[in-house]
Structures are given as C-alpha cells and as structure tokens.
Amino acid sequence: LQGRHPEQYPLSLRSQDLWERLPELIGNDCEYDRTGHLYCAFDTDEAERLAKYAKVSRANGIIVDDFDRAALAKRFPYISTKVIAATYSPRDAVANPRLATPATARAAKGLGATIIENCCAAHIEPTGGRFTIKIEDGRQFTATHLVNSAGAWAADLAARFGEPVRLLLQGLLNSLLNPCPILLGRRCRQSMDRSS
C-alpha cells in the first residue's frame, strides 16, 4: 500500500481487500503474508518526505506508523543505526506470484473466462459501445469492457486511445528465492581438481 501515488489509493485498497480474501475467491492463499512494509530515511530530507507522505497516506485511509530513531531501535533492533526515521504500514503484504497467477487463471476459467496466452492485440477499436479486438493470428473478439493490464506495454496500449500514461521503470520490490543444490561448472571442477 505504501509507495503509491495518492490517486492509486482507492484501487490499491480495493486490491488489498481482494488479496486478503484469496482463499475464498480463488481457493488458494498463494502464500499471502501480511508482513508489513518499512520505508527508511537516512537523512533529514528523506525523513521529512516520509513524514509528509505518511500524512497523505493516512488521509487516504492507509494505516502508517511513524518511527524516529529511538522507536526504530526498540521495534526493529536489527535495522541499521544509519536509518534516522521510518514509516511502517502493517497491512502491506507479499504473495507468491508463481502461485497467484495460475490460481487466478484457474478460478477465472471456472467462472467461464477464456484465457488466450502468448498473443498480441494487433488492433483494438471502440465501436458502438463495444471493443473489437483483433489478435495477430487473425482471430477477432468483441467485448463491452477493456481492461488495460498490459504491464510493461500498458503505456503503448493507453496511447492507442489517446490516454498517454507515464510508466516508472523500477526493479522488483520483492524477490522469490528457492534453495537449490550447489552446482559447479565442469571447467570450475577441473580447475579445482588440478589445484588440489
């Protein structure tokens, strides 16, 4: 919930409600875990920006706690002493996207949705209160609603309708790591054998 433009708060709060009801909605919790999210400030300018952002967030219904250095040391003793202030949203959470995507697709199919993967909408045209979508292989579909969920291509799709949006390119906030056996390449093993 934190880290969003305030205009996104109604949508992000609605999304959070859905994430919290995953087992009921799609039959799988997708490893959803309300972990909370901590934003840290390392200097007074950052601390002031965090405080202002937290105030705006609270005004939009987001629960955000403020921490000064002393409160941080008490609540999060493992945080670096270089952090002088922080904000914490206890409702922020994570889920496993490798489970959420297929579980959501299965639930949608169970409700009658058709999912077409690995295709590009070559042409989309609004006509008479409907959208006509033609995909690259020539198939054509019509719909009363069109949802722009094109991810990295969302700006291109929005521009087709004269609604340009600016995308901010950022690295992932979360990474999913699984343990795996230690593997040494053949060249590395041979080098180790020669040196021993």
Side-chain angles (χ1 to χ4, degrees), residues 10 47 52 60 63 79 81 85 91 95 109 145 161 166 182 184:
K52 287 178 185 174
N60 283 278
I63 297 169
I79 294 294
T81 55
R91 195 174 173 196
K109 286 178 182 177
H145 294 83
F161 297 94
R166 185 175 65 90
I182 297 173
L184 296 175

Side-chain angles (χ1 to χ4, degrees), residues 11-42:
L11 181 60
S12 61
L13 284 165
R14 173 71 175 127
S15 295
Q16 194 75 356
D17 289 338
L18 296 174
W19 280 105
E20 290 168 355
R21 295 174 48 219
L22 282 184
E24 167 195 343
L25 296 172
I26 65 173
N28 191 326
D29 73 357
C30 301
E31 297 177 0
Y32 176 87
D33 187 11
R34 193 189 280 192
T35 57
H37 195 123
L38 191 67
Y39 272 58
C40 299
F42 293 87

Side-chain angles (χ1 to χ4, degrees), residues 9 27 55 99-100 103 105 121 153 164:
Y9 280 143
K55 185 176 179 180
L99 298 176
W153 300 272

Side-chain angles (χ1 to χ4, degrees), residues 68-116:
D68 60 15
R69 179 65 238 158
L72 267 172
K74 186 175 180 182
R75 174 78 187 274
F76 303 101
Y78 46 83
I79 294 294
S80 169
T81 55
K82 293 179 182 177
V83 178
I84 65 165
T87 59
Y88 178 73
S89 173
R91 195 174 173 196
D92 280 342
V94 295
N96 186 337
R98 294 189 304 176
L99 298 176
T101 301
T104 302
R106 283 191 301 273
K109 286 178 182 177
L111 294 171
T114 301
I115 298 175
I116 303 167

Side-chain angles (χ1 to χ4, degrees), residues 34-170:
R34 193 189 280 192
T35 57
H37 195 123
L38 191 67
Y39 272 58
C40 299
F42 293 87
D43 60 43
T44 54
D45 287 343
E46 285 182 340
E48 286 176 18
R49 282 195 299 274
L50 276 183
K52 287 178 185 174
Y53 183 75
K55 185 176 179 180
V56 171
S57 299
R58 284 190 287 271
N60 283 278
I62 310 294
I63 297 169
V64 179
D65 300 323
D66 295 299
F67 290 88
D68 60 15
R69 179 65 238 158
L72 267 172
K74 186 175 180 182
R75 174 78 187 274
F76 303 101
Y78 46 83
I79 294 294
S80 169
T81 55
K82 293 179 182 177
V83 178
I84 65 165
T87 59
Y88 178 73
S89 173
R91 195 174 173 196
D92 280 342
V94 295
N96 186 337
R98 294 189 304 176
L99 298 176
T101 301
T104 302
R106 283 191 301 273
K109 286 178 182 177
L111 294 171
T114 301
I115 298 175
I116 303 167
E117 298 182 78
N118 301 314
C119 68
C120 178
H123 183 74
I124 302 172
E125 184 178 343
T127 52
R130 299 180 71 81
F131 293 93
T132 301
I133 301 106
K134 189 172 189 176
I135 60 176
E136 284 179 328
D137 67 7
R139 288 181 288 170
Q140 189 168 298
F141 304 92
T142 59
T144 55
H145 294 83
L146 178 69
V147 177
N148 184 349
S149 56
W153 300 272
D156 294 337
L157 183 57
R160 293 186 196 186
F161 297 94
E163 297 178 3
V165 294
R166 185 175 65 90
L167 291 183
L168 175 64
L169 302 176
Q170 280 184 302

